[in-house]
Amino acid sequence: MRLTRAGEYAIRCIMYLSYKGKGKLVSKKEIAAKCAIPTHFLSKIAQELQKAKILEIKQGPRGGFVLTKDPSELTLLEVIEAIIGEIYLNDCIARPEMCEASNICAVHKVWQKARRELRNILNSVTFDKLVKDPKCIPNFDKEI
Amino acid sequence: MRLTRAGEYAIRCIMYLSYKGKGKLVSKKEIAAKCAIPTHFLSKIAQELQKAKILEIKQGPRGGFVLTKDPSELTLLEVIEAIIGEIYLNDCIARPEMCEASNICAVHKVWQKARRELRNILNSVTFDKLVKDPKCIPNFDKEI
DNA sequence: CGGTTTTTAGATATTTTTACTCTTAAATGT
DNA sequence: ACATTTAAGAGTAAAAATATCTAAAAACCG
């Protein structure tokens, strides 16, 4: 019951792109180095983020990734769900056909509430705020 | 990012024992049948629940499981964490050594808040309330 | 245009976790 | 003693996570 590594990487990647600014092209190599993400794995993650219209991938020399959304309008929830899919906390909510009475079941009402709260919290945080505060990868501004 | 099947089974098992009442001995076979839990898997789950002092296992003929806590003092969180361990939603909170600045990082403050909220919600629900309401496995009271 | 750089996209591989299952043995009521 | 019921731990199969590899495509540059 935890965020996958891919999800964590996606957050770091978008943190770095947000720090660089919307529309700024940054090479995959630079992002991978700054954010400690295996380069090939970063490709897969970027593909998903591109599908979600969060960034654009530019090929060729001087290629890389470009953030297409303004950090002030991009939330943690959007980035996370672009990678791991919509968050559900238990199976009955995700696959109601598994369970005869999920919409009236007392247990699952609790899970629904928990899910709603979790998604609200993650959706209330935008990347422009996050990059201003101290972060786990603190040396974005150091030269490589 | 979802509850494991073992966690779901544990909830069902405790729901049934709560329905039968604290101190009432119920056979493993009966629980497995009523709650649709593979019997051997139920054994493993019961072992964990016994370690957490939630139930007691009685061997021999006329053996089974006995709920040792009063349903009014047993929460969803206790049962879930007995099975899957303490809930963390991401790695940096769970293993701070992985991450240089987890206690000041803006991203992880969000996760800490989310974790706190989730655990509060799960901890605010007791089994005496849950068994009174409609449930996913609605035929507890039918004969087998 | 041709070569070089950079990334893609899909296939493959490895590791970890999940979800059971099996087997031998122990406990206990009759 | 014996039949019944569960224990405890090893073992297994399937799925998911976490990469890694490879052939090819895109695009810049001279």
Side-chain angles (χ1 to χ4, degrees):
Chain A
M1 199 156 199
R2 47 172 266 289
L3 185 65
T4 60
R5 192 93 42 109
E8 179 77 22
Y9 289 159
I11 294 172
R12 285 194 219 165
C13 171
I14 298 300
M15 285 286 278
Y16 192 61
L17 288 173
S18 295
Y19 167 74
K20 290 288 188 175
K22 174 184 175 182
K24 177 79 191 295
L25 187 142
V26 187
S27 79
K28 184 171 87 169
K29 191 186 280 183
E30 181 179 343
I31 298 172
K34 286 288 191 177
C35 302
I37 304 172
T39 48
H40 284 75
F41 201 12
L42 178 55
S43 289
K44 302 224 72 165
I45 291 165
Q47 286 166 35
E48 297 297 315
L49 293 172
Q50 182 173 239
K51 274 183 206 161
K53 318 268 190 196
I54 291 169
L55 56 72
E56 240 173 49
I57 297 165
K58 302 285 270 184
Q59 290 194 191
R62 310 292 307 151
F65 308 149
V66 180
L67 189 65
T68 51
K69 285 210 175 182
D70 194 291
S72 67
E73 292 178 356
L74 184 59
T75 72
L76 266 182
L77 185 69
E78 287 177 76
V79 171
I80 291 167
E81 292 197 336
I83 301 299
I84 66 169
E86 198 171 332
I87 290 176
Y88 295 97
L89 293 177
N90 70 334
D91 270 345
C92 281
I93 291 171
R95 301 189 293 228
E97 75 280 6
M98 287 189 58
C99 158
E100 291 179 32
S102 73
N103 50 340
I104 57 158
C105 172
V107 177
H108 294 110
K109 278 184 181 161
V110 179
W111 282 112
Q112 275 170 14
K113 182 182 175 188
R115 171 177 183 256
R116 197 164 49 238
E117 276 299 314
L118 174 59
R119 295 181 80 241
N120 280 344
I121 288 170
L122 296 177
N123 206 38
S124 69
V125 188
T126 55
F127 279 85
D128 65 326
K129 298 271 168 51
L130 289 173
V131 289
K132 284 180 196 147
D133 288 341
K135 15 194 180 320
C136 281
I137 312 286
N139 45 353
F140 278 180
D141 46 358
K142 282 190 201 144
E143 284 303 318
I144 42 177
Chain B
M1 197 155 200
R2 46 172 267 289
L3 185 66
T4 59
R5 194 90 47 106
E8 178 77 22
Y9 289 159
I11 294 172
R12 285 194 219 166
C13 171
I14 298 301
M15 285 285 280
Y16 192 63
L17 287 173
S18 295
Y19 166 75
K20 289 289 187 175
K22 174 182 174 184
K24 177 79 189 297
L25 187 143
V26 186
S27 79
K28 185 171 84 167
K29 191 185 283 184
E30 180 178 344
I31 298 172
K34 284 289 191 176
C35 301
I37 304 172
T39 50
H40 284 75
F41 200 13
L42 178 55
S43 289
K44 302 224 73 167
I45 291 163
Q47 285 166 35
E48 297 298 314
L49 293 171
Q50 183 174 238
K51 274 183 205 160
K53 319 268 190 197
I54 292 168
L55 56 74
E56 240 174 49
I57 297 167
K58 302 285 271 183
Q59 291 193 190
R62 308 292 306 151
F65 308 149
V66 180
L67 189 66
T68 51
K69 285 210 173 181
D70 194 291
S72 67
E73 291 177 356
L74 185 58
T75 71
L76 265 181
L77 185 70
E78 286 178 77
V79 171
I80 291 167
E81 292 197 337
I83 301 299
I84 66 169
E86 198 172 333
I87 289 177
Y88 296 96
L89 294 176
N90 70 333
D91 270 344
C92 282
I93 292 172
R95 301 190 293 227
E97 76 279 5
M98 286 190 58
C99 159
E100 292 179 31
S102 73
N103 49 341
I104 57 158
C105 172
V107 177
H108 294 109
K109 279 183 182 162
V110 178
W111 282 111
Q112 275 170 14
K113 183 182 174 190
R115 168 176 185 258
R116 198 163 50 237
E117 275 298 314
L118 174 59
R119 295 181 80 243
N120 280 345
I121 288 171
L122 296 177
N123 206 36
S124 69
V125 187
T126 54
F127 277 86
D128 66 327
K129 298 270 168 51
L130 288 174
V131 289
K132 283 180 197 148
D133 287 340
K135 9 189 185 325
C136 282
I137 311 285
N139 44 351
F140 278 1
D141 46 358
K142 283 192 200 144
E143 284 303 315
I144 41 176

